[in-house]
Amino acid sequence: MSNDTLTNPELDERVTRSGPIHTLTRRMKEGQLGVMPVILALIVIVIVFQSINGNFIAPSNLVNLSTTVAYIGILALSINLILLLGEIDLSVAALGGLAASLMGILLVRDGHGILFSLVTLLLLGVIVGLIQGWFFAVVGIPAFVVTLAGLLAYMGLTLVVLGEQKNLSMSGTFASDLASFYFPAIYAYIMGAIVVIVYCVGQVVGRIRRANAGLEAPSIVWIGIRTAVLAFVIFAFLIIVNQDFGLALPFVMLMGIAIILDLTLRKTKYGRSVYAVGGNVEAARRSGIRVTWIRISIFMLAGGLAAVFGLVKAGVTTNAGSTLVTTTDLLNAIAAAVIGGTSLFGGRGHAWAPILGALVVGSINNGLYLIGFSSAGQQITTAIVLLAAVILDALSRRGQRNVGRGG
């Protein structure tokens, strides 16, 4: 990077004008609000439910909410990968239920070891993803049809695997031990501090790189505000849950998976290829991207995450029977990914979208339950929020087309 570039008046003006107000105004015009609408929605949800029922942010309720959000979020991460391709997968929840039932059979009835049962669970998810991805990417059958057939098949296979005894308790197994493990307070605070420090350093390094490349970069003030808000949210959450059982392992697993996927999608050639295939498959093919491999591998990753979902939910509910998974799990996961900001049209979204969406869906269901709403009322409310998210997505795409960024 030459000094001439750094002292270019136009570039200097672009960099120095990137304050919070200017950035917000520009992003609103261009339909690039990112996660801001979801975060604002979460703030409103917390204020409304806490004002109606004082137990909403009580320590015990937040601990329960975090474990529920954990398995919804993992399933939503699985759906999110397929949505990035511009496709849909209707089978992931049922696949998770089948994998959990098979693991339960191996552990509880047949007495196999933990490692064998866990590897079998994960292999089932990945291999099923490989088969479904092959039918979609190679044979050319629409993903909707392939995964609809899978949904029906896995529900039937679950009943076959379970045999005459449809209920299978997971109490006392490693799955329930995993789901009921809580980190001591000091370790939770250390993990929170590491997340804040890494986030701040990453933002500063990114700013320096963008400025050196002559690109628009966020101001130090804006980075400081975002870091302070993140630190406040994380430590407020940790202080509250540490007054009860503490930080749950399933929630940490969710965050860990999201971080790995986020880095993969943003920082690797493979991740950029996923966005390219989802945005314009023909352009991706002509640019040399192995479209078939990208599609099949994403279905394999989604299948593996579906199996992890089955493991976590079986541990949280101590059940690996036929009632472990319902269509509500699938619908909540799809809603979480879309509400979080992932586009239904492919090529746009990030790994944190389903996490934020799962927080919204989980908070709405939990808050409505506390104030006495039935499950029907919870589903109707979630549907309204989902519709609002899709409308916002459509408006965002229109804004991008107006500035020549979207198709």
Side-chain angles (χ1 to χ4, degrees):
M1 187 68 210
S2 68
N3 291 332
D4 290 343
T5 304
L6 287 174
T7 55
N8 184 308
E10 293 182 359
L11 293 177
D12 284 349
E13 183 182 3
R14 286 174 60 190
V15 172
T16 54
R17 287 180 60 196
S18 300
I21 303 300
H22 174 260
T23 301
L24 179 62
T25 305
R26 178 179 56 77
R27 289 190 173 187
M28 288 180 65
K29 292 179 179 177
E30 297 178 356
Q32 296 282 346
L33 285 175
V35 300
M36 199 172 299
V38 191
I39 293 175
L40 291 175
L42 270 174
I43 294 172
V44 171
I45 289 169
V46 171
I47 293 174
V48 169
F49 284 126
Q50 180 62 20
S51 62
I52 298 175
N53 188 313
N55 291 323
F56 183 71
I57 59 172
S60 59
N61 192 55
L62 278 193
V63 170
N64 292 332
L65 181 59
S66 67
T67 53
T68 303
V69 166
Y71 63 76
I72 294 177
I74 292 172
L75 189 62
L77 281 169
S78 171
I79 290 281
N80 191 60
L81 289 172
I82 306 296
L83 289 177
L84 288 178
L85 293 179
E87 303 294 337
I88 188 71
D89 189 335
L90 301 177
S91 68
V92 283
L95 175 58
L98 172 62
S101 295
L102 180 60
M103 177 192 67
I105 294 291
L106 294 174
L107 268 177
V108 179
R109 292 188 189 172
D110 297 345
H112 288 286
I114 294 174
L115 182 60
F116 177 78
S117 304
L118 193 57
V119 169
T120 303
L121 171 134
L122 293 173
L123 278 179
L124 175 66
V126 173
I127 291 173
V128 168
L130 169 65
I131 295 171
Q132 292 193 152
W134 182 81
F135 274 111
F136 164 61
V138 178
V139 181
I141 301 175
F144 178 85
V145 177
V146 173
T147 57
L148 177 60
L151 164 68
L152 299 172
Y154 309 145
M155 291 173 65
L157 282 172
T158 300
L159 297 176
V160 172
V161 168
L162 289 169
E164 294 182 357
Q165 185 183 356
K166 305 304 181 190
N167 295 319
L168 187 61
S169 174
M170 297 296 287
S171 297
T173 66
F174 89 98
S176 64
D177 293 341
L178 178 147
S180 59
F181 179 84
Y182 298 93
F183 289 91
I186 184 64
Y187 292 113
Y189 290 132
I190 290 173
M191 284 190 282
I194 290 173
V195 169
V196 173
I197 292 171
V198 169
Y199 174 81
C200 183
V201 171
Q203 290 292 304
V204 172
V205 171
R207 181 186 187 279
I208 293 172
R209 287 179 176 173
R210 291 183 67 84
N212 288 341
L215 299 172
E216 189 177 26
S219 67
I220 289 295
V221 174
W222 183 233
I223 292 175
I225 292 173
R226 291 164 66 174
T227 303
V229 170
L230 178 66
F232 173 79
V233 171
I234 288 177
F235 282 96
F237 170 73
L238 293 177
I239 289 171
I240 294 174
V241 297
N242 281 334
Q243 295 175 33
D244 196 67
F245 288 114
L247 182 62
L249 178 57
F251 192 75
V252 175
M253 288 175 61
L254 172 66
M255 293 295 113
I257 294 171
I259 290 171
I260 293 171
L261 287 179
D262 179 54
L263 293 176
T264 302
L265 290 172
R266 288 193 303 112
K267 301 295 185 183
T268 67
K269 181 181 177 182
Y270 174 80
R272 290 188 288 273
S273 298
V274 172
Y275 285 111
V277 172
N280 189 324
V281 65
E282 192 54 38
R285 199 188 309 276
R286 293 187 179 187
S287 65
I289 293 175
R290 299 167 60 194
V291 173
T292 301
W293 162 244
I294 293 295
R295 285 174 160 175
I296 292 177
S297 62
I298 284 296
F299 271 84
M300 292 169 66
L301 285 173
L305 286 175
V308 176
F309 153 75
L311 166 67
V312 174
K313 187 168 186 185
V316 170
T317 61
T318 65
N319 170 38
S322 59
T323 58
L324 172 66
V325 172
T326 66
T327 53
T328 303
D329 291 304
L330 174 67
L331 298 179
N332 279 339
I334 295 175
V338 176
I339 289 171
T342 297
S343 175
L344 287 168
F345 305 98
R348 194 157 59 88
H350 50 82
W352 296 106
I355 308 299
L356 293 169
L359 286 169
V360 170
V361 172
S363 299
I364 289 174
N365 290 339
N366 181 269
L368 292 176
Y369 172 78
L370 287 177
I371 61 178
F373 269 56
S374 64
S375 59
Q378 296 171 25
Q379 291 174 357
I380 291 171
T381 307
T382 303
I384 294 172
V385 175
L386 174 62
L387 182 61
V390 173
I391 293 172
L392 188 62
D393 178 46
L395 293 175
S396 174
R397 292 177 66 84
R398 182 182 300 175
Q400 291 180 13
R401 283 197 298 272
N402 291 339
V403 296
R405 288 191 176 185

